[in-house]
Amino acid sequence: YSNNTSNWSIHWTYDTPNQIVSNLAYSQGNLNIPVEGNIPYLISIQASDQSQRWNFTPYYNSSGFTMMYSAPLIYDDYVIFGTGVYRGTLDQKESYIYALNDTDGSMIWNFSVNDYISTAPALHEGIIYFSSADDKTYAVNISDGTDIWNTTLNGAISYSSPLYYDNKIFVG
């Protein structure tokens, strides 16, 4: 929905193939919408007329379910977001963080982790920081997705996005 802020009347609506369970991301007149389901999507539309710019389908397993809880991060011409893929049972997981080209939705790179990513990534000086339910926090290079470092924490960071401040990463 797009609502008028003065009286909260509906300005326009956009139908998605399934439910939206994360925050939308806005940049330069465009909305990026994460849609979860048996076949997940990241849809990019022009906010002015709701025309679809592109539609990206991340890796999914037809006998499982893919979560799209990670709000997209938009920086320059990158759209960064994470997924959670369950392959039939909850103990069979395979998940990715993706970097897409914001202009056409093509995949630039992906980075595999062992459990779902449900938080928005953080960015500082070309480094993407994110946490996963595999008990780790990661730092990857935005340009090519290479692993800079990762550290195992005492428990899964499932719902708290990383925060960069003063050369430190805070997770909770």
mmCIF file with all atom_site columns, all heavy atoms in Angstrom, residues 108-119:
data_model
loop_
_atom_site.group_PDB
_atom_site.id
_atom_site.type_symbol
_atom_site.label_atom_id
_atom_site.label_alt_id
_atom_site.label_comp_id
_atom_site.label_asym_id
_atom_site.label_entity_id
_atom_site.label_seq_id
_atom_site.pdbx_PDB_ins_code
_atom_site.Cartn_x
_atom_site.Cartn_y
_atom_site.Cartn_z
_atom_site.occupancy
_atom_site.B_iso_or_equiv
_atom_site.pdbx_formal_charge
_atom_site.auth_seq_id
_atom_site.auth_comp_id
_atom_site.auth_asym_id
_atom_site.auth_atom_id
_atom_site.pdbx_PDB_model_num
ATOM 1   N N   . ILE A 1 108 ? 25.070 -10.479 -8.859 1.00 0.00 ? 108 ILE A N   1
ATOM 2   C CA  . ILE A 1 108 ? 26.495 -10.175 -8.935 1.00 0.00 ? 108 ILE A CA  1
ATOM 3   C C   . ILE A 1 108 ? 27.270 -11.285 -8.226 1.00 0.00 ? 108 ILE A C   1
ATOM 4   O O   . ILE A 1 108 ? 28.252 -11.794 -8.739 1.00 0.00 ? 108 ILE A O   1
ATOM 5   C CB  . ILE A 1 108 ? 26.797 -8.798  -8.308 1.00 0.00 ? 108 ILE A CB  1
ATOM 6   C CG1 . ILE A 1 108 ? 26.038 -7.704  -9.067 1.00 0.00 ? 108 ILE A CG1 1
ATOM 7   C CG2 . ILE A 1 108 ? 28.299 -8.515  -8.303 1.00 0.00 ? 108 ILE A CG2 1
ATOM 8   C CD1 . ILE A 1 108 ? 26.042 -6.352  -8.390 1.00 0.00 ? 108 ILE A CD1 1
ATOM 9   N N   . TRP A 1 109 ? 26.825 -11.662 -7.029 1.00 0.00 ? 109 TRP A N   1
ATOM 10  C CA  . TRP A 1 109 ? 27.420 -12.763 -6.284 1.00 0.00 ? 109 TRP A CA  1
ATOM 11  C C   . TRP A 1 109 ? 26.442 -13.253 -5.229 1.00 0.00 ? 109 TRP A C   1
ATOM 12  O O   . TRP A 1 109 ? 25.463 -12.592 -4.923 1.00 0.00 ? 109 TRP A O   1
ATOM 13  C CB  . TRP A 1 109 ? 28.766 -12.386 -5.636 1.00 0.00 ? 109 TRP A CB  1
ATOM 14  C CG  . TRP A 1 109 ? 28.761 -11.176 -4.752 1.00 0.00 ? 109 TRP A CG  1
ATOM 15  C CD1 . TRP A 1 109 ? 29.169 -9.917  -5.096 1.00 0.00 ? 109 TRP A CD1 1
ATOM 16  C CD2 . TRP A 1 109 ? 28.336 -11.082 -3.379 1.00 0.00 ? 109 TRP A CD2 1
ATOM 17  N NE1 . TRP A 1 109 ? 29.011 -9.052  -4.030 1.00 0.00 ? 109 TRP A NE1 1
ATOM 18  C CE2 . TRP A 1 109 ? 28.512 -9.746  -2.962 1.00 0.00 ? 109 TRP A CE2 1
ATOM 19  C CE3 . TRP A 1 109 ? 27.830 -11.987 -2.462 1.00 0.00 ? 109 TRP A CE3 1
ATOM 20  C CZ2 . TRP A 1 109 ? 28.199 -9.312  -1.680 1.00 0.00 ? 109 TRP A CZ2 1
ATOM 21  C CZ3 . TRP A 1 109 ? 27.516 -11.550 -1.180 1.00 0.00 ? 109 TRP A CZ3 1
ATOM 22  C CH2 . TRP A 1 109 ? 27.706 -10.229 -0.800 1.00 0.00 ? 109 TRP A CH2 1
ATOM 23  N N   . ASN A 1 110 ? 26.726 -14.453 -4.694 1.00 0.00 ? 110 ASN A N   1
ATOM 24  C CA  . ASN A 1 110 ? 26.028 -14.929 -3.499 1.00 0.00 ? 110 ASN A CA  1
ATOM 25  C C   . ASN A 1 110 ? 27.042 -15.589 -2.578 1.00 0.00 ? 110 ASN A C   1
ATOM 26  O O   . ASN A 1 110 ? 28.123 -15.974 -3.002 1.00 0.00 ? 110 ASN A O   1
ATOM 27  C CB  . ASN A 1 110 ? 24.849 -15.842 -3.839 1.00 0.00 ? 110 ASN A CB  1
ATOM 28  C CG  . ASN A 1 110 ? 25.254 -17.167 -4.447 1.00 0.00 ? 110 ASN A CG  1
ATOM 29  O OD1 . ASN A 1 110 ? 26.412 -17.521 -4.478 1.00 0.00 ? 110 ASN A OD1 1
ATOM 30  N ND2 . ASN A 1 110 ? 24.288 -17.890 -4.964 1.00 0.00 ? 110 ASN A ND2 1
ATOM 31  N N   . PHE A 1 111 ? 26.688 -15.676 -1.309 1.00 0.00 ? 111 PHE A N   1
ATOM 32  C CA  . PHE A 1 111 ? 27.574 -16.213 -0.280 1.00 0.00 ? 111 PHE A CA  1
ATOM 33  C C   . PHE A 1 111 ? 26.735 -17.162 0.568  1.00 0.00 ? 111 PHE A C   1
ATOM 34  O O   . PHE A 1 111 ? 25.705 -16.774 1.101  1.00 0.00 ? 111 PHE A O   1
ATOM 35  C CB  . PHE A 1 111 ? 28.123 -15.060 0.564  1.00 0.00 ? 111 PHE A CB  1
ATOM 36  C CG  . PHE A 1 111 ? 29.097 -15.476 1.628  1.00 0.00 ? 111 PHE A CG  1
ATOM 37  C CD1 . PHE A 1 111 ? 30.448 -15.580 1.346  1.00 0.00 ? 111 PHE A CD1 1
ATOM 38  C CD2 . PHE A 1 111 ? 28.663 -15.755 2.916  1.00 0.00 ? 111 PHE A CD2 1
ATOM 39  C CE1 . PHE A 1 111 ? 31.351 -15.957 2.327  1.00 0.00 ? 111 PHE A CE1 1
ATOM 40  C CE2 . PHE A 1 111 ? 29.557 -16.126 3.902  1.00 0.00 ? 111 PHE A CE2 1
ATOM 41  C CZ  . PHE A 1 111 ? 30.909 -16.231 3.606  1.00 0.00 ? 111 PHE A CZ  1
ATOM 42  N N   . SER A 1 112 ? 27.185 -18.411 0.687  1.00 0.00 ? 112 SER A N   1
ATOM 43  C CA  . SER A 1 112 ? 26.425 -19.449 1.371  1.00 0.00 ? 112 SER A CA  1
ATOM 44  C C   . SER A 1 112 ? 26.764 -19.511 2.861  1.00 0.00 ? 112 SER A C   1
ATOM 45  O O   . SER A 1 112 ? 27.933 -19.383 3.252  1.00 0.00 ? 112 SER A O   1
ATOM 46  C CB  . SER A 1 112 ? 26.740 -20.804 0.730  1.00 0.00 ? 112 SER A CB  1
ATOM 47  O OG  . SER A 1 112 ? 26.095 -21.843 1.413  1.00 0.00 ? 112 SER A OG  1
ATOM 48  N N   . VAL A 1 113 ? 25.718 -19.697 3.680  1.00 0.00 ? 113 VAL A N   1
ATOM 49  C CA  . VAL A 1 113 ? 25.874 -19.938 5.119  1.00 0.00 ? 113 VAL A CA  1
ATOM 50  C C   . VAL A 1 113 ? 25.033 -21.157 5.490  1.00 0.00 ? 113 VAL A C   1
ATOM 51  O O   . VAL A 1 113 ? 24.242 -21.648 4.684  1.00 0.00 ? 113 VAL A O   1
ATOM 52  C CB  . VAL A 1 113 ? 25.476 -18.706 5.967  1.00 0.00 ? 113 VAL A CB  1
ATOM 53  C CG1 . VAL A 1 113 ? 26.365 -17.514 5.641  1.00 0.00 ? 113 VAL A CG1 1
ATOM 54  C CG2 . VAL A 1 113 ? 24.027 -18.344 5.780  1.00 0.00 ? 113 VAL A CG2 1
ATOM 55  N N   . ASN A 1 114 ? 25.181 -21.648 6.722  1.00 0.00 ? 114 ASN A N   1
ATOM 56  C CA  . ASN A 1 114 ? 24.553 -22.907 7.120  1.00 0.00 ? 114 ASN A CA  1
ATOM 57  C C   . ASN A 1 114 ? 23.185 -22.788 7.766  1.00 0.00 ? 114 ASN A C   1
ATOM 58  O O   . ASN A 1 114 ? 22.602 -23.802 8.132  1.00 0.00 ? 114 ASN A O   1
ATOM 59  C CB  . ASN A 1 114 ? 25.485 -23.670 8.060  1.00 0.00 ? 114 ASN A CB  1
ATOM 60  C CG  . ASN A 1 114 ? 26.740 -24.120 7.351  1.00 0.00 ? 114 ASN A CG  1
ATOM 61  O OD1 . ASN A 1 114 ? 26.691 -24.509 6.193  1.00 0.00 ? 114 ASN A OD1 1
ATOM 62  N ND2 . ASN A 1 114 ? 27.866 -24.036 8.030  1.00 0.00 ? 114 ASN A ND2 1
ATOM 63  N N   . ASP A 1 115 ? 22.666 -21.586 7.928  1.00 0.00 ? 115 ASP A N   1
ATOM 64  C CA  . ASP A 1 115 ? 21.337 -21.426 8.509  1.00 0.00 ? 115 ASP A CA  1
ATOM 65  C C   . ASP A 1 115 ? 20.765 -20.104 8.025  1.00 0.00 ? 115 ASP A C   1
ATOM 66  O O   . ASP A 1 115 ? 21.455 -19.322 7.369  1.00 0.00 ? 115 ASP A O   1
ATOM 67  C CB  . ASP A 1 115 ? 21.390 -21.485 10.038 1.00 0.00 ? 115 ASP A CB  1
ATOM 68  C CG  . ASP A 1 115 ? 20.119 -22.048 10.655 1.00 0.00 ? 115 ASP A CG  1
ATOM 69  O OD1 . ASP A 1 115 ? 19.051 -21.954 10.013 1.00 0.00 ? 115 ASP A OD1 1
ATOM 70  O OD2 . ASP A 1 115 ? 20.187 -22.568 11.785 1.00 0.00 ? 115 ASP A OD2 1
ATOM 71  N N   . TYR A 1 116 ? 19.533 -19.829 8.353  1.00 0.00 ? 116 TYR A N   1
ATOM 72  C CA  . TYR A 1 116 ? 18.841 -18.699 7.760  1.00 0.00 ? 116 TYR A CA  1
ATOM 73  C C   . TYR A 1 116 ? 19.410 -17.349 8.191  1.00 0.00 ? 116 TYR A C   1
ATOM 74  O O   . TYR A 1 116 ? 19.978 -17.192 9.259  1.00 0.00 ? 116 TYR A O   1
ATOM 75  C CB  . TYR A 1 116 ? 17.337 -18.761 8.037  1.00 0.00 ? 116 TYR A CB  1
ATOM 76  C CG  . TYR A 1 116 ? 16.932 -18.655 9.483  1.00 0.00 ? 116 TYR A CG  1
ATOM 77  C CD1 . TYR A 1 116 ? 16.683 -17.423 10.062 1.00 0.00 ? 116 TYR A CD1 1
ATOM 78  C CD2 . TYR A 1 116 ? 16.775 -19.797 10.266 1.00 0.00 ? 116 TYR A CD2 1
ATOM 79  C CE1 . TYR A 1 116 ? 16.296 -17.317 11.383 1.00 0.00 ? 116 TYR A CE1 1
ATOM 80  C CE2 . TYR A 1 116 ? 16.391 -19.695 11.592 1.00 0.00 ? 116 TYR A CE2 1
ATOM 81  C CZ  . TYR A 1 116 ? 16.158 -18.460 12.141 1.00 0.00 ? 116 TYR A CZ  1
ATOM 82  O OH  . TYR A 1 116 ? 15.781 -18.361 13.451 1.00 0.00 ? 116 TYR A OH  1
ATOM 83  N N   . ILE A 1 117 ? 19.222 -16.374 7.300  1.00 0.00 ? 117 ILE A N   1
ATOM 84  C CA  . ILE A 1 117 ? 19.589 -14.982 7.536  1.00 0.00 ? 117 ILE A CA  1
ATOM 85  C C   . ILE A 1 117 ? 18.278 -14.213 7.593  1.00 0.00 ? 117 ILE A C   1
ATOM 86  O O   . ILE A 1 117 ? 17.580 -14.106 6.592  1.00 0.00 ? 117 ILE A O   1
ATOM 87  C CB  . ILE A 1 117 ? 20.477 -14.433 6.409  1.00 0.00 ? 117 ILE A CB  1
ATOM 88  C CG1 . ILE A 1 117 ? 21.748 -15.276 6.273  1.00 0.00 ? 117 ILE A CG1 1
ATOM 89  C CG2 . ILE A 1 117 ? 20.815 -12.967 6.661  1.00 0.00 ? 117 ILE A CG2 1
ATOM 90  C CD1 . ILE A 1 117 ? 22.476 -15.039 4.965  1.00 0.00 ? 117 ILE A CD1 1
ATOM 91  N N   . SER A 1 118 ? 17.946 -13.707 8.756  1.00 0.00 ? 118 SER A N   1
ATOM 92  C CA  . SER A 1 118 ? 16.656 -13.023 8.882  1.00 0.00 ? 118 SER A CA  1
ATOM 93  C C   . SER A 1 118 ? 16.800 -11.551 9.231  1.00 0.00 ? 118 SER A C   1
ATOM 94  O O   . SER A 1 118 ? 15.813 -10.875 9.467  1.00 0.00 ? 118 SER A O   1
ATOM 95  C CB  . SER A 1 118 ? 15.795 -13.720 9.943  1.00 0.00 ? 118 SER A CB  1
ATOM 96  O OG  . SER A 1 118 ? 16.426 -13.653 11.195 1.00 0.00 ? 118 SER A OG  1
ATOM 97  N N   . THR A 1 119 ? 18.008 -11.047 9.268  1.00 0.00 ? 119 THR A N   1
ATOM 98  C CA  . THR A 1 119 ? 18.222 -9.655  9.643  1.00 0.00 ? 119 THR A CA  1
ATOM 99  C C   . THR A 1 119 ? 18.763 -8.854  8.464  1.00 0.00 ? 119 THR A C   1
ATOM 100 O O   . THR A 1 119 ? 19.335 -9.409  7.534  1.00 0.00 ? 119 THR A O   1
ATOM 101 C CB  . THR A 1 119 ? 19.209 -9.542  10.824 1.00 0.00 ? 119 THR A CB  1
ATOM 102 O OG1 . THR A 1 119 ? 20.494 -10.000 10.393 1.00 0.00 ? 119 THR A OG1 1
ATOM 103 C CG2 . THR A 1 119 ? 18.743 -10.360 12.008 1.00 0.00 ? 119 THR A CG2 1
#
